[in-house]
Amino acid sequence: MGRIPCCEKENVKRGQWTPEEDNKLASYIAQHGTRNWRLIPKNAGLQRCGKSCRLRWTNYLRPDLKHGQFSETEEHIIVKFHSVLGNRWSLIAAQLPGRTDNDVKNYWNTKLKKKLSGMGIDPVTHKPSSHRMWGRGLGIMFALPFSYFLRKGYITLRLGVQLSGLFALGAGQGLIGWWMVKSGLEEPPSEYSQPRVSPYRLAAHLTSAFAIYCGLFWTALSVVMPEPPAESLAWVRGAAKVKKLALPVSLIVGITTISGAFVAGNDAGRAFNTFPKMGDTWIPDNIFEMKPLLRNFFENTATVQLDHRLLATTTLIAIGTMWWFTRKLDIHPAVKALIGSTVGMTAVQVTLGVLTLLSYVPVSLGSAHQAGALTLLTLMLLLNHTLRRPSPSLLKSLPQVAKSNFS
DNA sequence: AAACGCGTCAACCGCATTCGA
DNA sequence: ATCGAATGCGGTTGACGCGTT
């Protein structure tokens, strides 16, 4: 099926127009106007098809065309009309004297689409994108029941303060999110460097999300379980011992999670995709290459990733150690189960992390690794919550040793 | 240094609509 | 009023320049 492009003529030139051709076409049109595009190339002595000439004229040579950058006003007009007209480029271009449909279409596809989605607006529907809507929705989902329960008198002063604090954190989270995408829009500091979301702000957004989650989970646990499970004084003493280990271990888990947020912020998982070595060496030689030494820990891909590897390993060892030293203690079986779960979850999480790295951070594995971090944090919270010291009144009522319904 | 990746933009292609004999 | 040619339109392509590996 040999399809003839647009005109039957074999000897038509295609591709970029030369200045000579432009001159021929422009001067011909200046004399004769644009009556019949089919005849124009013949009469003007051009080896082009009429369609090509028309395109060249309307999109480039026409004297009433504007050529420079789009102004801010023009940009607003495009966005506004696109939101009601959709991809009706010629209609939109009609609102902008001196611009063609092709110009507008190109500008939309190359610049405006990205700009809008960067501002959290979906370029197809012109509505705020789902992530933001979820954020706002969550605010309402929190506030409505809160005011209801408050009126009903279910909320104690202490709980009210806690919940208000969490709500404020949530609002702050929205602000950080806005501040974050804003950084992706600002002009890059130098001409060569892609504008992108600041690693600090992304890390802050992520860390804050984890913090809010932890706060919510802890608060919820405290409402559901005002007293820790404690059936004997022996178990209470055991819990106190475990707690000495569990607290620092939780701290390490928390720090590792934050370090993971910086890995995400710097896209640091897209380099050194080998394990256990980083490339050919154990420690890359440029880890202290940036000027203020401290900056390396937050912005240097190699250092950030190395940190996370070290911290993750430390976490694994720490949790293993906690399990080892508590395995023979006389403690509540729930605590034992929890410690076992943390060991298992840490192993899963480390494996996931290594897999994610080795396969160049596919979204699925990256998300799974993030979810794993959340799960591990949850387990640590559960553990610490379970290990709280019972209230004095409960302590008084406890027997020395638990009634052994199992050994 | 060569290959590669990426953004930009002019140009192309095929279909839809309008025009004019 | 009708039918083929001309024109309009929007999605898509690909050449080019530039920076990175």
Side-chain angles (χ1 to χ4, degrees), chain A residues 255-263 302-315 349 353 369 373:
Chain A
I255 293 173
T256 310
T257 309
I258 295 173
S259 128
F262 272 94
V263 172
T303 322
V304 166
Q305 195 191 113
L306 180 64
D307 275 348
H308 194 58
R309 286 172 185 241
L310 291 176
L311 281 166
T313 315
T314 312
T315 306
Q349 176 67 347
H369 187 55

Side-chain angles (χ1 to χ4, degrees), chain A residues 234-251:
Chain A
W235 281 359
V236 170
R237 280 193 295 275
K241 281 183 199 156
V242 178
K243 198 172 169 181
K244 283 201 184 101
L245 285 170
L247 272 178
V249 169
S250 308
L251 195 68

Side-chain angles (χ1 to χ4, degrees), chain A residues 337-366:
Chain A
L338 272 174
I339 293 175
S341 309
T342 47
V343 175
M345 191 56 223
T346 311
V348 169
Q349 176 67 347
V350 168
T351 313
L352 260 179
V354 173
L355 282 181
T356 307
L357 180 70
L358 290 185
S359 50
Y360 295 86
V361 201
V363 176
S364 54
L365 278 179

Side-chain angles (χ1 to χ4, degrees), chain A residues 197-223:
Chain A
V197 168
S198 145
Y200 294 100
R201 301 183 189 187
L202 182 65
H205 195 54
L206 224 52
T207 306
S208 156
F210 282 131
I212 293 172
Y213 170 79
C214 290
L216 281 173
F217 190 67
W218 186 272
T219 308
L221 277 180
S222 305
V223 171

Side-chain angles (χ1 to χ4, degrees), chain A residues 121-196:
Chain A
I121 293 170
D122 180 73
V124 177
T125 63
H126 289 266
K127 298 226 164 71
S129 53
S130 52
H131 188 71
R132 251 181 216 205
M133 291 315 276
W134 274 105
R136 290 174 194 168
L138 278 173
I140 294 169
M141 301 245 311
F142 188 100
L144 285 183
F146 180 72
S147 52
Y148 173 77
F149 288 129
L150 195 64
R151 190 155 310 174
K152 284 271 177 178
Y154 291 165
I155 295 179
T156 62
L157 180 64
R158 189 181 147 78
L159 183 60
V161 169
Q162 273 179 357
L163 288 174
S164 306
L166 285 169
F167 185 74
L169 280 177
Q173 175 70 333
L175 280 179
I176 298 176
W178 167 78
W179 180 55
M180 183 179 89
V181 292
K182 190 164 162 275
S183 77
L185 288 177
E186 278 157 6
E187 286 301 307
S190 59
E191 280 155 47
Y192 42 89
S193 80
Q194 290 299 319
R196 63 196 198 94

Side-chain angles (χ1 to χ4, degrees), chain A residues 75-113:
Chain A
E75 201 169 275
H76 283 139
I77 291 175
I78 296 176
V79 173
K80 199 174 116 202
F81 277 86
H82 187 274
S83 70
V84 287
L85 296 171
N87 294 1
R88 311 280 289 279
W89 305 120
S90 58
L91 287 182
I92 300 174
Q95 312 301 322
L96 301 165
R99 301 293 188 186
T100 69
D101 52 346
N102 217 27
D103 287 336
V104 173
K105 179 174 54 185
N106 279 334
Y107 190 62
W108 173 266
N109 284 327
T110 56
K111 305 266 174 60
L112 285 182
K113 259 206 293 199

